[in-house]
């Protein structure tokens, strides 16, 4: 093991990673009209390292998948072509680049024109979500969703499959299926939301059916060695929680093993206050032991925590979000144990192509 565990090399399938610091997918709301922009090439290439893994921001699979302003898509020819120079910029730095495939489900608003022809957003349910937004203190009311009909499910699965094909055509090395954070796939998996009585509801196996149909379709399209999946079984984002999250998590990773996917990217439970400081609960070990591919842990890690969990074998790789957002040279800062830039929440989701996006200083410019 390297002196700094996070900086040890790792072989993830056919990808030779030079370190274990992963850039997590981060919505930035700067893809105007859902089309990736040239400034994204600057943003991602700033954070790319030779042999480092970057997971692109959540990217819509269809015109029904959108729920936030100016988030990117990968369902049109224009979007695919717009992604190509961004992917090229990351590859020019030697980075490994995966595209996260996303459908927000009921987390959308008809009045804000996120849905085509003003239709209701789709979900596993017709229950409306009213919830605090992630990384934000605001509360936003979303439109009442329309419960998907059983016979409509294959069409949504097909949207994921075609989006995966498009991502590979755009040059991405692989895709990550977004099955976390209260969005469409998780709206099926978790029993606080899924109130269906057909084959997509009720039992654990039925609630996970849609997620696994998506996995099967994407694997069939681009190969298991290019596919990862993000899960957040212990989270309660957007009113989406489960009565037995560990059972859900273990079932999913064992089923993912059957498809032989490259990696499982799992989010820790929310940090808890212990002895006057926030601590990570570290409840992912059973899933890490059960999953046969590469395991990526996320959820509030810093340099010391990341080094510890890699050194202990708790995870293979660690995903960093806000720290990577504010520190484009995060692996170098970890190597030198250098001070970190502080992130500014006020600029997380603005439309500015520079401020809070590409203007965070590198270490040599920090002074």
């Amino acid at each position: 093991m390297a002196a700094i565990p996070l900086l040890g090399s790792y072989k993830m399938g056919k990808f030779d990673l030079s370190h274990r610091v992963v850039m997590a997918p981060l919505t930035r709301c700067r893809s105007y009209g859902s089309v990736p922009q040239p400034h994204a090439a600057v943003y991602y290439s700033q954070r790319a390292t030779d042999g480092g893994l970057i997971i692109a921001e959540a990217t819509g699979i269809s015109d029904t998948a959108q729920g936030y302003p100016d988030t990117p898509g990968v369902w049109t020819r224009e979007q695919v072509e717009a992604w190509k120079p961004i992917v090229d910029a990351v590859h020019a730095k030697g980075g490994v680049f995966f595209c996260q495939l996303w459908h927000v489900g009921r987390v959308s608003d008809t009045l804000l024109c996120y849905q085509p022809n003003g239709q209701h957003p789709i979900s596993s349910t017709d229950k409306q979500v009213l919830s605090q937004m992630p990384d934000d203190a605001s509360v936003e009311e979303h439109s009442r969703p329309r419960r998907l009909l059983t016979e409509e499910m294959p069409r949504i699965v097909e949207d994921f499959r075609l989006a995966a094909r498009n991502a590979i055509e755009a040059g991405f090395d692989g895709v990550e299926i977004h099955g976390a954070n209260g969005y469409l796939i998780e709206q099926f998996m978790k029993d606080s939301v899924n109130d269906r009585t057909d084959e997509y509801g009720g039992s654990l196996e039925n609630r996970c059916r849609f997620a696994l149909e998506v996995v099967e379709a994407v694997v069939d399209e681009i190969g298991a060695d290019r596919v990862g999946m993000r899960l957040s079984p212990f989270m309660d984002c957007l009113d989406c929680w489960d009565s037995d999250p560990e059972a859900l998590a273990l079932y999913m990773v064992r089923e993912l093993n059957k498809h032989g996917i490259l990696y499982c990217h799992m989010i820790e439970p929310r940090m808890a206050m212990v002895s006057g400081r926030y601590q990570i609960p570290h409840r992912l070990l059973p899933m890490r032991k059960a999953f046969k591919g590469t395991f990526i842990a996320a959820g509030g890690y810093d340099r010391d925590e990341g080094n510890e969990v890699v050194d202990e074998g708790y995870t293979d790789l660690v995903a960093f979000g806000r720290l990577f957002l504010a520190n484009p040279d995060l692996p170098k800062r970890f190597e030198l144990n250098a001070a970190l830039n502080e992130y500014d929440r006020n600029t997380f989701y603005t439309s500015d192509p520079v401020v809070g996006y590409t203007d965070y200083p590198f270490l040599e410019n920090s002074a």
Side-chain angles (χ1 to χ4, degrees), residues 269-274 277-281:
R270 295 187 188 277
M271 291 192 290
M273 183 69 76
V274 179
R277 61 184 289 265
Y278 283 106
Q279 294 186 10
I280 299 170

Side-chain angles (χ1 to χ4, degrees), residues 294-330:
T294 293
F295 196 83
I296 306 175
Y301 285 96
D302 59 16
R303 178 184 186 273
D304 291 342
E305 279 275 3
N307 279 325
E308 183 176 334
V309 292
V310 169
D311 192 39
E312 292 175 350
Y314 178 82
T315 189
D316 298 307
L317 310 174
V318 181
F320 296 87
R322 288 163 292 187
L323 292 186
F324 228 139
L325 179 156
N327 297 273
D329 52 355
L330 188 64

Side-chain angles (χ1 to χ4, degrees), residues 219-288:
V219 165
D220 286 348
E221 181 64 37
I222 66 171
D225 59 343
R226 292 176 178 263
V227 178
M229 188 169 196
R230 194 180 212 210
L231 300 170
S232 59
F234 297 99
M235 300 292 284
D236 57 0
C237 291
L238 300 162
D239 298 339
C240 198
W241 49 269
D242 195 79
S243 60
D244 192 346
E246 186 159 299
L248 170 62
L250 285 170
Y251 178 78
M252 278 300 298
V253 298
R254 288 166 179 157
E255 290 299 307
L256 292 177
N257 283 337
K258 296 177 183 179
H259 295 283
I261 69 169
L262 180 64
Y263 72 76
C264 178
H265 179 187
M266 196 168 289
I267 304 172
E268 296 274 7
R270 295 187 188 277
M271 291 192 290
M273 183 69 76
V274 179
S275 302
R277 61 184 289 265
Y278 283 106
Q279 294 186 10
I280 299 170
H282 295 131
R283 290 180 61 187
L284 305 184
L285 187 58
M287 284 63 76
R288 192 273 194 275

Side-chain angles (χ1 to χ4, degrees), residues 22-26 28 43 47 134-136 270-271 299-301 319-328 330 340-345 348-349 360:
V22 178
M23 181 177 172
L26 299 165
R28 304 308 312 274
Y43 170 73
R47 288 154 181 80
D135 291 320
D136 194 341
R270 295 187 188 277
M271 291 192 290
Y301 285 96
F320 296 87
R322 288 163 292 187
L323 292 186
F324 228 139
L325 179 156
N327 297 273
L330 188 64
L340 300 178
N341 300 323
E342 294 185 6
Y343 51 81
D344 181 1
R345 289 180 181 274
F348 280 0
Y349 308 116
Y360 283 105

Side-chain angles (χ1 to χ4, degrees), residues 8-21:
S9 61
Y10 178 78
K11 188 167 182 61
M12 184 180 75
K14 60 185 176 183
F15 303 104
D16 293 316
L17 304 182
S18 60
H19 58 77
R20 298 165 187 249
V21 180

